[in-house]
Amino acid sequence: MSPIIAVKNFTKKYREFHAVDNVSFEVERGSIFAFLGPNGAGKSTTINTLCTILEKTSGSLMIDGKEIDQHKDYIRSVIGVVFQEQTLDVKMTVEENLKMHCHFYRVPKSVMNERIDFVLHLVDLTKWRKAMTNSLSGGMKRRVEIARSLLHLPKVLFLDEPTTGLDPQTRANIWDYLVKLQKEKDITIFLTTHYMDEAEISNRVAIMDYGKIIAFDHPEALKKQYTCDKAVIASSDPKQLSELLEKYAVTYTKEKQRFCLEMNDLSKLTRIVSEHQLSMIDLEIRKGTLNDVFLEITGKEIRE
Amino acid sequence: MRIISALCMRNIKLFLRNRVQLILVLIVPFFYLYLLSTIFKSTAISDPISYVLAGIIIIVVFQTSLNIATSTIDDIVSGYMKEVLVSPAKRVQIVIGQILSSTIIATFQGILILIVGYFIGLRYDSVLTPLAVVATMIFVGLVFSAFGLFLAMSVKNSQTFQITSVAFTTPITFLCGVYVPLSLLPIGLQYIAFLNPMTYAASFFRALTLEKLSQPVNDLVSDQLAFKISNIIITPQISFFVVLLFGLLFLVLSTVTFTKVDFARINRTQTNKDIYDQ
């Protein structure tokens, strides 16, 4: 099956500054694709260009087999967008916002109310239908935006940092809704984020830095390629543990009073501990994260 | 058509929900009427109340039309315009929706004052005059809505817009002969008034409202319904064509600007940081 999004040698320049520099990638239909990277990496520029808000400098960007700058109207009719910043009409009610969207996307009037019922139910906001939008909390507004973006049954849903500024519980709830939606409607979700856990649930991750894609694969494959699981231990006698680890040539890094070593060395550690009757006060098995991938490739944390 | 009517309905709904604005719209013009009719009594004008009322109606239509600029900037600042622009709606449809809704609101306000004006002495000999008056309000509403939209599209951020808006609306409002008779203005300001499109709109609208379009030119000049630039007498009919040309120019300019403008370049924030620089 042809990819729903195909980007080839895409470059976006602001004067001499390359916001996105010769980027190529493809997104499979019905998948969740995440763009991960620090602020300023070029994620929003890419998403805004794919959404027809910005013009490309060069390259080819196709959605559903059509070049976006030649078929803007078609592209706009098959995508749903939730922008990083709030774009609701706060002077109108939730229902009015949804109805306006239906008018803009020419949703048939005969199915308009049915669709509004459906999307509000999906984001659990049915009883807020008549509420003024400015009376809703940040998380609820975000859910209205997600509901609104689904009204015209888009093929691709673009989410630009959809949970930025929201509390952890609201973030988790929104992700529950999105995963449910992706499964129920077989929609392609394209998201940008700088939260690791959000990128983890995707089928493919592109890690971006300074306008370039520096890694692209399934999250697990990336972690397998660039990271290894770690054992983090703490002893009541850190000095002795440190001496023993050095004596037995176990490579480690120190995190305050804790010792971080590779999982391969865990059996060696167990032997040291039992032979020298060391008392361990904590042992944590830490899985490799996408942040570790980013750290491994760029030498810096994703949040820097 | 569906997009245009949806935009119109939305803007009208927002206007009607603003009750304070609705009440002020009715009160403020009559405050000016009271104030100005005393000033204009000192001139040679035969029916100062009707004369001033006609001027105030057209000023209200003008000012309300210009509100389209503020509401468009508000929509950009609030982020809502981004939702509109990413939809399949064509920009021309958005322009038409914005201009039409602004014109409808402006005409509605003009009609409200016209109705109240009837109870304080504004009378017509011909039944066609009120229809022509309303048609002119629609015309002037369209002209200045187009001008307002062009103004909104020409600024880079909301702060600049506020300054630009005041810089344009103040001279247009006060140097058009509605609040201060042109003959009482210093010569320098009179020349500025001649460059003001509202001078022509007010002149034509007054002559129409007072049913004096067919009056001899000399009478029109003495009633301050026509004015002289050097040796040329600008009759209300000429004024109409000046406004028409101005309107056509800004209709084209606002449509072209709105269609071409890169909204990503308009600063939405209170700082100078571009929101898309992220």
Side-chain angles (χ1 to χ4, degrees), chain A residues 73 85 89 96 101 107, chain B residues 2 10 17 82-83 90:
Chain A
D73 287 349
E85 67 275 19
D89 189 346
E96 286 166 342
H101 185 93
V107 174
Chain B
R2 186 177 169 190
R10 173 218 178 223
R17 275 185 193 160
K82 207 170 174 184
E83 147 76 4
K90 293 196 185 331

